[in-house]
Amino acid sequence: MTDVTPTAGGGKTIFGHPRGLVVLFFAEMWERFSYYGMRALLVLFLVQHFLMSQDEAAQTYAAYAALVYLLPIVGGVIADRWLGARKAVTIGALLLVAGHFAMAFEGSGGQQFITVAGQEYQVETVGRDSDRTQYAVSADGERTPIAFTTEGLVRDPALTSTLPAVTPQDQVQQRVVRDLSGERTVLLAMALIVVGVGFLKANISNVVGALYAQGDTRRDAGFTWFYVGVNLGSVLAKILCGWIGLTYGWAYGFGLAGIGMLLGLIVFQVGQPWLEGKAGPPPEMEGKRGLFGIPFGALFLIGGVIAVIPTWMLLQRHELVEKGLTILAPAIFLGMLIWTTVFLKGETRSRMAAALILTIFSVLFWMLFEQAGSSLTLMAQNSVHMPSFLNAAQSNLVNPLMIVLLGPLFAILWQVLAARNAEPSTPLKFSMALVIMGLSFVMLAWATRTQHDELFKIAFFWLALTYVIHTIAELLISPIGLSMITKLSAPKVVGLMMGVWFLSSSLAHALAGLVAGMTSTETVGGVVTNPAQALATYGEVYNIFGWVAVGVGAVLLLASPILKRMMAGVK
């Protein structure tokens, strides 16, 4: 039976945690359902529907995800100074709902043409999963089944066709007619989502931290339970949005993600009494209005809508996002370190410095982890034998499912170890996460070299095992990182520091796009033209960056005792 008892501070608890955690658990679960439902489909949608190259699709996704994790810095500051978490989250949720529903307007898509022996054919691709069928359609309507192999473009020699039975790859010319208006509409929808997440993401995590008093040993466990909610939403999204999107149509998958976000907004609003005022504005801003007497909530909602336009323009120039972040993010990290050194004193300065250093180390982790949304999804489509009950959009379902299963065990483990004063330090958890993440990619690279069949595909087991290992690493760094920020940050800049934590993910997504681009190979109609080269490329890139992560994790392991002392008694 649910245990609801008063705490020392007069609040009520459920299973030993503030009952507001339940509200935030389910609100974030539905918000993450919308985000991961859209993410499961996005790269496949860009490659298959708009016929972008794998490189361009990965870079577009990377720019989108980088901005998703960049704007929470602004959203955190706005909530800290003017709005409070409730109004900021509400504005963000409204923009997110609009963006997800706008994703359902997918346009007509791109058209692929190939020229063989002087004759041009339109390539028609049937289906959205990895078992798609392709046809070459001539100007007079002749429709010939085709496939791309290591030999080149092939067709059944028993069929009568103007198309040669085998055409070497270097003798096939191709062109794509882009659906530019459809692409711009989708990018506008993505811009709405980016700005919405900017208002929402950091602030809902900050409310979790606000539920616990300083020194409360339940905090890491509370964030781990919260993280279970995040991944429960991800599990549902992969199962439902991934299945519906590839089975019935992209618009249905994206539309379902929008319904999830609407449910998240409803849960957050209805559950406000259980948050006991933790999501309200700063006391000094109660009752105050902004420019021209407009309430701050309305003012920032208008500002959010306006901010969609430059965000939309940036998404159309993803290279600017990548270049800008590689300059901006290090500058912000350095600026925060300088500010911490100059303006803070004593243990507050030491703790802030430790948080910033660990945040910087996390960039490499997230760079590899976020291959799940781009190169690993494309690898599942191109180079993995998917089981009959899963498709490529659902391929990383293993990760959130294992979070849901293992998250409670880790939460209990941290509480038990904390009670015995034996819990590993935060720096040690971070170093273990990096080493484990690196080894998972080294293992996957080994599988691409030794475990493939004549179709140059590996068993799903190896990809699933990679995601299981990712899960263990993720539980050592992600919920712990959120908790670390709320514990080590100076009280007046917790929102800003949560934004800086998400900035590390923003930079990581931009870098992840570059890594994913290194794994890309040529496609026609969204299908790779050289399966052997595709598999080998995945293995080469993953092996290099896997060993880099192992090495950096070892360095952090050696530095862990120093960073633990810098935390000045905070566990």
Side-chain angles (χ1 to χ4, degrees), residues 370-392:
E370 289 302 333
Q371 296 305 308
S374 53
S375 70
L376 286 174
T377 296
L378 291 171
M379 182 184 186
Q381 176 187 262
N382 302 327
S383 304
V384 175
H385 286 292
M386 295 297 297
S388 59
F389 55 87
L390 289 178
N391 58 44

Side-chain angles (χ1 to χ4, degrees), residues 279-483:
E284 65 273 15
M285 298 307 297
E286 285 283 1
K288 291 189 176 181
R289 292 175 174 264
L291 190 66
F292 303 121
I294 302 173
F296 280 113
L299 194 63
F300 281 107
L301 176 58
I302 295 169
V305 173
I306 294 172
V308 168
I309 302 303
T311 305
W312 176 53
M313 295 173 69
L314 280 174
L315 287 172
Q316 296 178 66
R317 298 289 303 276
H318 56 75
E319 68 279 2
L320 293 180
V321 177
E322 294 155 7
K323 292 177 182 177
L325 270 173
T326 55
I327 297 172
L328 177 64
I332 291 176
F333 291 145
L334 180 60
M336 288 298 296
L337 282 169
I338 293 172
W339 180 84
T340 297
T341 303
V342 174
F343 294 100
L344 299 180
K345 305 294 181 184
E347 291 182 347
T348 302
R349 175 170 61 190
S350 177
R351 290 169 180 165
M352 278 278 289
L356 286 165
I357 292 170
L358 288 171
T359 298
I360 293 169
F361 269 98
S362 73
V363 171
L364 177 59
F365 176 89
W366 294 117
M367 182 186 79
L368 293 178
F369 182 85
E370 289 302 333
Q371 296 305 308
S374 53
S375 70
L376 286 174
T377 296
L378 291 171
M379 182 184 186
Q381 176 187 262
N382 302 327
S383 304
V384 175
H385 286 292
M386 295 297 297
S388 59
F389 55 87
L390 289 178
N391 58 44
Q394 300 170 314
S395 57
N396 61 356
L397 172 66
V398 175
N399 170 245
L401 181 60
M402 293 305 297
I403 289 284
V404 172
L405 296 176
L406 295 180
L409 299 180
F410 272 76
I412 294 169
L413 175 65
W414 300 145
Q415 283 186 287
V416 170
L417 291 176
R420 298 180 180 179
N421 200 30
E423 184 179 3
S425 67
T426 297
L428 182 57
K429 291 175 183 176
F430 272 52
S431 64
M432 293 167 60
L434 272 169
V435 171
I436 292 170
M437 174 60 70
L439 290 175
S440 72
F441 277 98
V442 171
M443 177 204 70
L444 185 59
W446 171 82
T448 64
R449 296 191 301 270
T450 64
Q451 301 300 310
H452 66 79
D453 60 11
E454 67 279 0
L455 297 177
F456 296 98
K457 291 189 175 185
I458 61 174
F460 177 66
F461 167 80
W462 295 109
L463 184 59
L465 181 58
T466 299
Y467 280 128
V468 171
I469 299 172
H470 284 190
T471 301
I472 296 170
E474 184 183 2
L475 284 168
L476 288 168
I477 196 169
S478 189
I480 306 307
L482 293 172
S483 178

Side-chain angles (χ1 to χ4, degrees), residues 53-56 58-59 322 367-368 371 374-375 378 510-522 533-546 548:
S53 68
Q54 293 189 17
D55 185 15
E56 184 178 2
Q59 302 272 0
E322 294 155 7
M367 182 186 79
L368 293 178
Q371 296 305 308
S374 53
S375 70
L378 291 171
L511 297 175
L514 299 177
V515 174
M518 296 178 190
T519 69
S520 66
T521 51
E522 188 177 73
Q533 181 187 11
L535 184 67
T537 303
Y538 290 124
E540 291 167 5
V541 174
Y542 292 159
N543 191 60
I544 292 171
F545 285 99
V548 168

